[in-house]
Amino acid sequence: AGVISELVDANVKLFETRVNVYVPEPYQFFLVRDVMDSGEVRLRVGISKSGGAIRTALSGAEWIAVTVALAFICSEGDGLHVILIEEERAFGPKMLSRVMDAFSKLPFQVILAHPTLPERVPEGWTLIDVDKGEHQSSLRHPSNGAIAPSTMQ
C-alpha cells in the first residue's frame, strides 16, 4: 500500500501543478485526500489564498474559476473543440480581472457573461455591452475571450 500511496500522491501533485497554471492569483488549487474509516479514499477540491489554509468550501466565483481550469486540464489532448459555459457567480471587479488574466492562458476562446465590468481589461479581451450594442477591444491578435456585461438579471 505504501508504493501505491506514493504513486497516487506524486500524480496528485502533478495534476495540481497543471491546474494551477490556469487558476487566478493569489489562489492555489489542491486536491484534498480523505481516507475514510472504511479505507475508501475521497478527493475534494480545495484552494489556498496566498499560501494560507486550504479551504474546500469555495465561493461561487472561486468554484467557477477552478472548474474552468479543471475542465481544460481534463479535456487537454483529446482533439476536441472546447466550449465551456459557466454560470455567472458574482465576481467582484478585481476577481473578475484576475480570472480573465488566468483564462487568457487557456488555448481556446472564453466567453464570460457578467453584470459588472472588470477592474481592468487584460490584453486580448473584448468587452461587449449587449444593452448598448457597443464593444471595447484591446485586441492585437485573435481574441482570448470576451465578456458581455449586462444589466439584465
Side-chain angles (χ1 to χ4, degrees):
V3 172
I4 292 173
S5 183
E6 287 178 26
L7 286 171
V8 168
D9 288 344
N11 284 300
V12 164
K13 293 296 177 203
L14 176 63
F15 185 76
E16 290 171 344
T17 300
R18 291 177 56 217
V19 172
N20 276 315
V21 169
Y22 305 108
V23 174
E25 297 284 336
Y27 296 100
Q28 188 173 8
F29 168 81
F30 293 93
L31 283 175
V32 178
R33 188 165 61 138
D34 296 320
V35 179
M36 311 310 285
D37 290 339
S38 65
E40 177 185 9
V41 176
R42 293 186 183 169
L43 293 176
R44 293 182 293 145
V45 171
I47 62 170
S48 170
K49 184 175 180 180
S50 303
I54 298 172
R55 296 182 294 109
T56 57
L58 281 55
S59 73
E62 293 165 342
W63 180 252
I64 295 300
V66 167
T67 56
V68 168
L70 285 169
F72 173 68
I73 294 300
C74 291
S75 66
E76 215 175 23
D78 62 13
L80 297 175
H81 293 282
V82 177
I83 298 172
L84 183 64
I85 302 170
E86 287 285 354
E87 304 170 72
E88 190 282 310
R89 289 297 186 130
F91 291 106
K94 181 184 264 186
M95 181 65 171
L96 181 56
S97 292
R98 288 178 180 164
V99 167
M100 291 168 71
D101 281 334
F103 290 177
S104 293
K105 299 173 191 172
L106 295 169
F108 54 82
Q109 187 176 33
V110 177
I111 299 173
L112 298 170
H114 201 275
T116 60
L117 293 172
E119 181 178 76
R120 63 181 168 64
V121 179
E123 184 176 336
W125 283 79
T126 300
L127 294 183
I128 301 168
D129 188 328
V130 295
D131 291 332
K132 296 179 184 174
E134 299 173 352
H135 74 278
Q136 168 194 344
S137 180
S138 60
L139 294 178
R140 291 194 187 140
H141 48 78
S143 181
N144 288 332
I147 181 167
S150 173
T151 58
M152 297 173 59
Q153 298 296 328

